[in-house]
């Protein structure tokens, strides 16, 4: 996991009648949106569910809108029995990428597990419509 440093250049600013003439740089260890998503997906694909979950939560808290983040975090929550929150995250994934059959299929199955058969059928039919095979 590499950390990217960003250099920020500053310029002289007068302060209390004294002008600061030196320029200096500040390095930060902030990862880009793409890197954060990659890290989360990498942890998940390697079976490090604990770290993946942390990264998914962090991505969401940072306002990252990527269907994979919501869908995968929803899958983790479903696997530990948190079906209501899983369904909320899966809905958000569909909101971001409604034409993706697998997202509709996953939500349909979660809703089925929540005993919401009629609503589950809607999403499962949508999945079949999007990907008949």
């Amino acid at each position: 996991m590499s950390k990217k440093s960003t250099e920020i250049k500053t310029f002289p600013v007068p302060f209390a009648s004294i002008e600061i003439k030196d320029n200096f740089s500040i390095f930060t260890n902030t990862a880009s949106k793409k890197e954060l998503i990659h890290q989360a997906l990498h942890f998940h694909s390697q079976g490090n569910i604990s770290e993946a979950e942390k990264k998914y939560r962090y991505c969401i808290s940072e306002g990252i809108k990527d269907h994979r983040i919501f869908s995968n975090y929803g899958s983790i929550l479903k696997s530990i029995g948190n079906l209501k929150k899983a369904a909320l995250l899966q809905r958000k994934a569909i909101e971001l990428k409604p034409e993706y059959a697998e997202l509709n299929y996953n939500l349909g199955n979660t809703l089925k597990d929540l005993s919401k058969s009629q609503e589950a059928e809607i999403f499962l039919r949508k999945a079949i419509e999007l990907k008949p095979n």
Side-chain angles (χ1 to χ4, degrees):
M1 180 167 58
S2 64
K3 293 187 178 182
K4 189 173 185 178
S5 295
T6 306
E7 183 175 329
I8 301 171
K9 193 106 175 155
T10 60
F11 300 94
V13 178
F15 178 74
S17 301
I18 301 171
E19 189 169 320
I20 301 170
K21 295 185 180 186
D22 294 328
N23 291 332
F24 61 94
S25 298
I26 299 173
F27 292 91
T28 60
N29 288 325
T30 58
S32 71
K33 171 185 165 184
K34 189 175 180 179
E35 290 170 327
L36 288 171
I37 293 168
H38 174 75
Q39 290 170 358
L41 297 175
H42 178 73
F43 281 130
H44 201 163
S45 71
Q46 297 300 309
N48 191 341
I49 303 305
S50 173
E51 284 302 311
E53 183 179 5
K54 289 176 193 173
K55 288 291 181 183
Y56 291 142
R57 277 194 318 243
Y58 182 74
C59 286
I60 292 169
S61 75
E62 289 296 303
I64 293 175
K65 306 281 190 239
D66 186 287
H67 69 282
R68 298 168 298 177
I69 297 298
F70 290 95
S71 176
N72 289 357
Y73 186 26
S75 294
I76 290 172
L77 292 174
K78 182 180 179 193
S79 73
I80 61 172
N82 192 342
L83 299 175
K84 288 182 180 181
K85 190 165 183 182
L88 289 173
L89 292 166
Q90 291 167 339
R91 286 178 196 279
K92 182 63 178 177
I94 291 171
E95 194 179 296
L96 295 169
K97 195 158 182 132
E99 73 282 0
Y100 199 57
E102 287 80 356
L103 300 176
N104 287 277
Y105 176 79
N106 291 343
L107 178 57
N109 281 314
T110 301
L111 291 169
K112 179 183 64 71
D113 292 346
L114 282 166
S115 299
K116 295 183 177 187
S117 300
Q118 289 180 330
E119 193 177 4
E121 182 181 351
I122 293 168
F123 287 96
L124 292 171
R125 286 186 184 276
K126 182 65 176 179
I128 293 167
E129 176 189 319
L130 291 168
K131 196 173 183 179
N133 57 346

